[in-house]
Amino acid sequence: MKTRKKAIRLAAVLVAFSLIMTGCGGKNKTVNNTTANTSSQSDTALGGIDRTEPLTLEIYDVAANYQGMQSGWFGKVVKDKFNLELNIIAPQASGNGEALYQTRTASGKLGDIILLDNSPLQDCIKAGLISDITNEVQSSENLNQYYEQYKTFNTGLEENTEGKIYGLPCQITNTSPTTYTDTEIYISPMLPWDYYTEIGTPEMKTMEDLLKVLEQIQAAHPVNAAGDPSYAISLWADWDKGGTQITMETATQLTKMYGYEVNGSIMLGNTGDMKQVTDDDGAYYKMLHFFFEANQRGLVDPDSGTQNWDTACTKMKNKQVLMFWYSWQRGFWNTPDRANDRNAYIYAPVQDMNFYQPSDSYYGDGRALAIGSHMEGNTRARAIEFLDWLISPEGLDFLHAGIPDWSYTKDSEGKYTLTEEGLYGLMENRTVPDEWGGGGFDDGNSKINQWPLHSVSTNPNTGETYNYNYWNSYLEANKTIMTKEWSEKYGAPNQVAYLEKTGQLKPVPNVNIILPSDTTDIALIRSQCATIICDTSWRMVFAKDEEDFKAMWEEMKIQLEGLDWNQLVEFDKSKFEKVLEAREAAMK
Amino acid sequence: MKLFQNKKKKKSIIEFLYILPFLILIAVFAYYPLYGWVYAFFDYRPPQPLTMDNFVGLKWFQSLVSNPVKTKQIVNVVTNTLVMSGITVTTSWLPMLFAVFLNEIKCIPFRKAVQTVTTIPNFISWVLVYSVAFNIFNNTGVVNQVFVSLGIIDKPIQFLQASEHVWLTQWLWLTWKNLGWAAIMYIAAITSIDEELFEAAKVDGATRMQMIRYITIPSILPTYFVLLMLSIASFLTNGMEQYYVFQNAFNKEKIQVLDLYVFNLAMGSGSYSVATALSILKSMISLILLSLANGISKLVRGESFL
């Protein structure tokens, strides 16, 4: 008996304590907050949502690199505005994403808000884990603006011809399916301008010339400023075999410099053709050979085979890697100050390249947000309200531009200007003001790590893009010595303009087709082939000589035959036929 | 109504209750999960639930050896497993010897220190071990730096990327991690040896080496054999974490053991059914090995442990 009494007492104390705590966390805080927008504070907005109770939304998020509660400034914005807390569940950061996905789907609750790639989304809808949110989208202020795009995407779901809305594709734009707004392309060779000009900016016609240039640069700068060895190319293996990819990821990305995008066992060309990744005259082989050649000349970081992304990334931040190819990699090094010293990375033209670049992701980028099917009543309304806010100009400004009056300032015409804090906030994790909750900007940045609307979209409040890279103020302020020299030399204001002039860029129209996911048989074949292709690719890069390189490739093809490679190719081909057809239709 | 007619029955029931919790534990954690074996006979694909529509019988078992390439892969993986386990089993006397010599150290603080230092690695996770290994053995790591600056080599050696000596290096890592831990059993066994034996031997003028040879080692041999049998039972289960963290494209052919293969197969692609089929085969083989080991022990030493 005694113990029972004790337990009751303890429970009573706990209840009282939790009441006090929620009292603190709930309404009291919103009195002195600076972010709350009064219109959404009224409890009658959007059909009388009750926000008095704090609510934690579980977000199952395949894009997140962080697992746990959203903290810091963005967490505070969401808390103050909606009394919501976000618990991010990140398969990428959980150590074993597959297992996490499996156990959570088996339990019937993947998450309150779910962010998935198209194929798993299709599977989860079939398994009844995803809510139909057609009505909510239509009655929401912001989501409804993109209803037609959402409908186009959802009509592609199996057995959904009437176009009920289940998934909200991410990264959609308000431009058009054939525009390319960006001024940079996703994959292209970039070199430090100071090093490249130092050797006299030799003209490069082919990959062979690029290797020669890299060789010269590395010979001139074998170590970085700190005295650590620098290499032209540094690779990492932990991104291999992501999703349905079965090839060495770094080489896979580079094929986009020669007009092809690898998708599983096949490559899509920017002219609408299709090849197998194992074709001897294909772009994938070409890129492996490029890495191999580079390694023969000592241009590949010997740690490549054993290091992970983090280690490689640290080297990029220390100028130990002399060639970048992802457009976002420049963020690890480039700053206006450095660009004025000409010490920054910029596109180095190679004449025979022909770039594969999709247009603006008007219909989305292959991932979608959804609401779990267990969500009911008030919690469901609050989750929808949150998603609606995320795609509102206010929410998007937080996601894309950062903290108002700290990351950027507004002038009298409502145009934005980036501040120094805004520029370095993410890179240096600068401390945000106390009224925004303090802490580092990067730590407090949205850990959802995915955007409902792409930053190249036009912000109705400013008439400019959400992305600060295209604000007039930014473009003016960022005419650095490097960009001026580059523009003068190549006779174009930016990379895209230059490539359009030379005819090396023909953007591929955007389509967002929900592709069928693998059957178990195909999944098994894919997995076994992936192991062989990735392992062989790595060994080929570090092969002794040309003969060895070729022998490995041939041996790989024989082994793949034995693993039913042709079945996999057939499967992928029939899958991507639809994509090619849709692209052709979009061009008409 | 009397529930128990006599005291004897009552007593036995109470005694049964003593072991009941452990029986439940075994049932829950060892037998209940066996129900997961059904996945091997289905075409299972999360998030779809299991239904009889997806029943495929022995398809996955057949698919493991359906053509020469796959068979070769399985053979390669099994070879790796057997070789690594083989090396471990044939060197399993090392911890015993280590314990014996440790016991000979007369300076107690020093002995304790050595024991602590050799036991600690057991508590370091493999992931951490790999990051230590990476920092010591990568191209700009300590070892290469020292060698290059001494002029022994002019280019860094690719230690972690080497496909040679993988079995040996992996065994060295394992030994470094487990030696002290495995020796604990033997140290305990040594302390339980009757002191009078040693005293009698001293009186007879035995040297230290002779004492080790004729008293210590024979006394702890039974312990050694039991542990050896147990390790044979888990011959195919030589862990996965170690090989998982050390694997890369260059050493995979040598390092991929059964458990790792199952993991790579299932987690890399969601081929849970195939992975389960493979695990079932593994369990079967382990059972056979254990029975064999038990039989051999009966023949050789006249006593079995099962």
Side-chain angles (χ1 to χ4, degrees):
Chain A
M1 280 315 280
K2 257 193 182 168
T3 50
R4 257 188 75 180
K5 264 192 187 160
K6 260 190 193 162
I8 290 168
R9 237 182 262 161
L10 185 68
V13 169
L14 280 176
V15 169
F17 184 67
S18 64
L19 282 174
I20 294 165
M21 288 309 284
T22 52
C24 292
K27 282 208 157 168
N28 300 357
K29 258 198 183 161
T30 54
V31 176
N32 57 358
N33 81 54
T34 47
T35 61
N37 160 330
T38 44
S39 73
S40 69
Q41 276 300 299
S42 66
D43 282 353
T44 51
L46 285 171
I49 296 176
D50 174 16
R51 300 188 203 83
T52 45
E53 290 291 314
L55 172 67
T56 303
L57 288 176
E58 283 193 340
I59 303 183
Y60 181 89
D61 183 345
V62 291
N65 297 315
Y66 162 92
Q67 176 144 307
M69 297 301 284
Q70 169 75 51
S71 58
W73 64 267
F74 186 74
K76 184 174 168 9
V77 170
V78 175
K79 176 86 185 157
D80 290 345
K81 214 172 160 54
F82 302 110
N83 202 4
L84 282 178
E85 289 183 12
L86 310 177
N87 180 13
I88 314 266
I89 293 145
Q92 280 200 102
S94 67
N96 190 343
E98 280 286 342
L100 186 74
Y101 176 69
Q102 201 208 348
T103 45
R104 291 188 73 92
T105 47
S107 77
K109 267 168 82 166
L110 188 54
D112 300 338
I113 292 177
I114 298 165
L115 177 68
L116 285 173
D117 291 302
N118 287 355
S119 300
L121 176 77
Q122 170 88 69
D123 293 342
C124 286
I125 292 170
K126 269 198 219 157
L129 297 166
I130 307 281
S131 257
D132 168 3
I133 49 175
T134 318
N135 298 335
E136 282 101 330
V137 168
Q138 284 171 324
S139 60
S140 291
E141 181 190 351
N142 302 298
L143 291 168
N144 192 33
Q145 293 177 22
Y146 308 99
Y147 179 73
E148 283 308 315
Q149 278 147 281
Y150 290 156
K151 192 174 166 177
T152 306
F153 169 81
N154 280 275
T155 310
L157 290 164
E158 287 171 41
E159 299 156 24
N160 187 29
T161 39
E162 68 268 41
K164 283 187 192 152
I165 309 283
Y166 289 96
L168 307 173
C170 296
Q171 293 280 46
I172 59 174
T173 71
N174 53 18
T175 52
S176 92
T178 47
T179 3
Y180 185 59
T181 308
D182 216 325
T183 54
E184 314 284 345
I185 55 173
Y186 188 62
I187 298 284
S188 63
M190 290 169 285
L191 304 174
W193 186 241
D194 50 352
Y195 292 179
Y196 186 41
T197 47
E198 212 171 81
I199 57 167
T201 44
E203 201 175 78
M204 294 188 281
K205 287 193 171 66
T206 60
M207 288 285 242
E208 178 58 29
D209 297 338
L210 177 62
L211 281 169
K212 280 180 192 152
V213 165
L214 289 172
E215 217 169 356
Q216 285 175 301
I217 290 179
Q218 194 180 307
H221 300 276
V223 291
N224 69 354
D228 292 316
S230 55
Y231 291 96
I233 296 168
S234 195
L235 309 172
W236 58 98
D238 46 334
W239 288 9
D240 292 359
K241 295 184 241 181
T244 52
Q245 294 292 37
I246 55 173
T247 40
M248 177 181 171
E249 183 62 18
T250 41
T252 298
Q253 290 297 343
L254 292 197
T255 57
K256 291 174 186 161
M257 303 205 251
Y258 283 91
Y260 283 91
E261 178 186 60
V262 176
N263 285 290
S265 60
I266 53 131
M267 300 185 282
L268 297 180
N270 54 7
T271 49
D273 62 323
M274 220 191 279
K275 274 189 166 162
Q276 293 186 32
V277 287
T278 50
D279 281 357
D280 294 3
D281 57 352
Y284 183 68
Y285 182 85
K286 189 180 167 88
M287 293 309 129
L288 286 183
H289 198 264
F290 169 70
F291 282 158
F292 159 76
E293 274 287 333
N295 186 53
Q296 291 292 304
R297 305 177 192 207
L299 301 175
V300 177
D301 180 353
D303 282 336
S304 291
T306 43
Q307 72 184 359
N308 61 10
W309 160 251
D310 285 336
T311 314
C313 185
T314 308
K315 292 174 179 169
M316 291 165 201
K317 289 174 178 168
N318 297 331
K319 211 180 181 182
Q320 285 176 267
V321 181
L322 304 177
M323 182 173 82
F324 285 174
W325 53 77
Y326 287 104
S327 58
W328 46 258
Q329 260 175 302
R330 289 167 309 161
F332 296 136
W333 179 262
N334 288 17
T335 61
D337 292 348
R338 282 176 177 162
N340 276 324
D341 291 344
R342 309 165 68 257
N343 170 14
Y345 291 78
I346 195 159
Y347 172 60
V350 178
Q351 287 165 18
D352 77 339
M353 285 186 182
N354 140 36
F355 295 94
Y356 180 100
Q357 175 63 54
S359 312
D360 291 354
S361 48
Y362 181 75
Y363 292 111
D365 71 343
R367 278 180 179 155
L369 280 158
I371 299 279
S373 56
H374 62 275
M375 296 288 279
E376 294 288 341
N378 195 43
T379 42
R380 180 183 169 109
R382 288 175 76 176
I384 298 272
E385 182 190 36
F386 172 66
L387 290 182
D388 187 58
W389 172 80
L390 269 190
I391 203 163
S392 69
E394 182 190 329
L396 289 164
D397 268 341
F398 280 118
L399 291 180
H400 290 305
I403 300 171
D405 303 324
W406 184 78
S407 303
Y408 59 92
T409 53
K410 292 180 199 173
D411 66 11
S412 52
E413 292 168 26
K415 298 260 192 269
Y416 294 172
T417 307
L418 197 70
T419 62
E420 193 198 339
E421 306 287 3
L423 186 64
Y424 294 104
L426 200 64
M427 213 185 314
E428 298 175 359
N429 197 18
R430 290 198 173 180
T431 310
V432 305
D434 285 340
E435 77 240 36
W436 295 90
F441 179 84
D442 184 20
D443 299 336
N445 201 10
S446 164
K447 296 299 175 200
I448 297 171
N449 202 27
Q450 182 62 273
W451 303 268
L453 194 74
H454 199 289
S455 64
V456 298
S457 305
T458 311
N459 181 346
N461 297 341
T462 62
E464 294 187 316
T465 57
Y466 285 103
N467 187 331
Y468 66 72
N469 285 302
Y470 314 114
W471 298 347
N472 253 327
S473 58
Y474 184 84
L475 290 171
E476 280 308 308
N478 278 283
K479 285 204 167 116
T480 59
I481 292 173
M482 174 175 82
T483 54
K484 279 179 200 154
E485 284 182 9
W486 191 94
S487 294
E488 259 163 53
K489 181 164 171 59
Y490 297 110
N494 58 51
Q495 184 187 13
V496 167
Y498 171 77
L499 292 174
E500 277 170 350
K501 196 178 73 176
T502 58
Q504 289 173 275
L505 176 69
K506 298 177 198 69
V508 181
N510 172 261
V511 293
N512 186 7
I513 307 255
I514 299 149
L515 299 163
S517 54
D518 291 355
T519 62
T520 27
D521 290 298
I522 292 288
L524 179 64
I525 297 171
R526 193 184 292 283
S527 157
Q528 295 191 308
C529 291
T531 305
I532 290 200
I533 294 183
C534 286
D535 290 356
T536 311
S537 300
W538 276 99
R539 287 204 298 269
M540 281 165 76
V541 171
F542 289 90
K544 286 200 306 285
D545 48 39
E546 186 79 24
E547 212 172 305
D548 199 23
F549 178 88
K550 285 204 170 98
M552 286 182 192
W553 179 255
E554 293 307 323
E555 168 65 19
M556 176 187 90
K557 287 199 284 187
I558 293 167
Q559 282 196 305
L560 289 174
E561 284 296 311
L563 294 170
D564 304 322
W565 170 252
N566 293 333
Q567 266 189 54
L568 179 64
V569 173
E570 278 318 304
F571 180 87
D572 281 346
K573 268 194 171 154
S574 64
K575 205 162 88 168
F576 285 99
E577 275 306 335
K578 292 183 208 151
V579 174
L580 292 181
E581 282 164 20
R583 278 183 190 164
E584 215 158 313
M587 288 302 273
K588 279 169 188 159
Chain B
M1 186 204 134
K2 273 268 174 68
L3 195 61
F4 305 117
Q5 294 308 322
N6 56 25
K7 275 194 175 151
K8 206 172 172 189
K9 221 173 187 170
K10 187 176 173 182
K11 201 172 162 193
S12 67
I13 287 196
I14 287 173
E15 275 168 357
F16 172 72
L17 287 180
Y18 285 140
I19 60 162
L20 187 64
F22 301 102
L23 289 178
I24 291 172
L25 274 182
I26 287 177
V28 170
F29 289 107
Y31 286 97
Y32 171 67
L34 289 183
Y35 128 88
W37 279 14
V38 302
Y39 285 94
F41 306 97
F42 285 84
D43 185 347
Y44 172 64
R45 208 172 128 218
Q48 302 288 0
L50 271 195
T51 56
M52 275 318 279
D53 306 346
N54 323 339
F55 185 78
V56 292
L58 292 175
K59 173 182 164 180
W60 302 123
F61 291 89
Q62 283 153 357
S63 85
L64 286 173
V65 288
S66 58
N67 66 42
V69 174
K70 287 186 184 180
T71 315
K72 207 174 121 191
Q73 247 187 7
I74 296 278
V75 167
N76 166 269
V77 168
V78 171
T79 311
N80 289 341
T81 313
L82 294 181
V83 169
M84 295 225 213
S85 292
I87 296 175
T88 316
V89 166
T90 46
T91 56
S92 60
W93 45 268
L94 267 179
M96 178 171 76
L97 221 56
F98 177 71
V100 170
F101 287 132
L102 193 67
N103 194 53
E104 290 301 313
I105 297 174
K106 291 288 174 264
C107 167
I108 300 290
F110 179 66
R111 183 204 301 185
K112 289 276 181 235
V114 169
Q115 211 189 321
T116 310
V117 168
T118 50
T119 311
I120 281 176
N122 182 63
F123 299 101
I124 302 174
S125 80
W126 279 113
V127 178
L128 220 62
V129 171
Y130 181 74
S131 48
V132 171
F134 184 79
N135 284 317
I136 296 176
F137 291 109
N138 74 8
N139 297 282
T140 49
V142 182
V143 176
N144 274 319
Q145 294 273 33
V146 170
F147 281 9
V148 172
S149 57
L150 288 178
I152 299 171
I153 46 174
D154 51 4
K155 261 176 97 170
I157 302 175
Q158 302 267 38
F159 289 105
L160 297 166
Q161 208 169 299
S163 55
E164 304 87 36
H165 323 302
V166 175
W167 291 339
L168 184 68
T169 49
Q170 288 307 310
W171 171 77
L172 282 173
W173 281 112
L174 187 69
T175 306
W176 168 79
K177 199 165 180 310
N178 280 352
L179 187 70
W181 181 249
I184 289 180
M185 281 277 201
Y186 299 112
I187 291 170
I190 291 169
T191 47
S192 67
I193 300 172
D194 195 348
E195 277 298 316
E196 282 181 19
L197 288 174
F198 292 109
E199 276 156 23
K202 254 191 205 143
V203 171
D204 290 346
T207 60
R208 275 173 92 176
M209 272 301 163
Q210 284 170 322
M211 280 202 268
I212 290 172
R213 194 178 149 185
Y214 293 108
I215 302 170
T216 319
I217 293 196
S219 312
I220 57 174
L221 264 188
T223 313
Y224 171 68
F225 275 108
V226 169
L227 290 177
L228 182 67
M229 293 298 160
L230 289 177
S231 67
I232 287 175
S234 59
F235 207 69
L236 293 182
T237 314
N238 43 9
M240 182 204 90
E241 299 93 339
Q242 175 187 0
Y243 310 114
Y244 177 71
V245 296
F246 275 94
Q247 74 173 344
N248 56 45
F250 306 89
N251 62 18
K252 201 176 276 172
E253 265 189 31
K254 289 275 194 287
I255 208 171
Q256 186 154 261
V257 292
L258 256 173
D259 282 340
L260 182 57
Y261 183 65
V262 169
F263 179 86
N264 285 343
L265 205 61
M267 297 307 152
S269 70
S271 308
Y272 300 102
S273 300
V274 182
T276 311
L278 207 60
S279 305
I280 292 178
L281 286 178
K282 209 185 84 182
S283 305
M284 297 285 174
I285 296 172
S286 291
L287 266 179
I288 294 167
L289 279 175
L290 181 66
S291 314
L292 271 179
N294 197 34
I296 291 169
S297 135
K298 245 192 190 141
L299 282 175
V300 176
R301 301 179 54 245
E303 53 177 77
S304 65
F305 54 87
L306 284 183

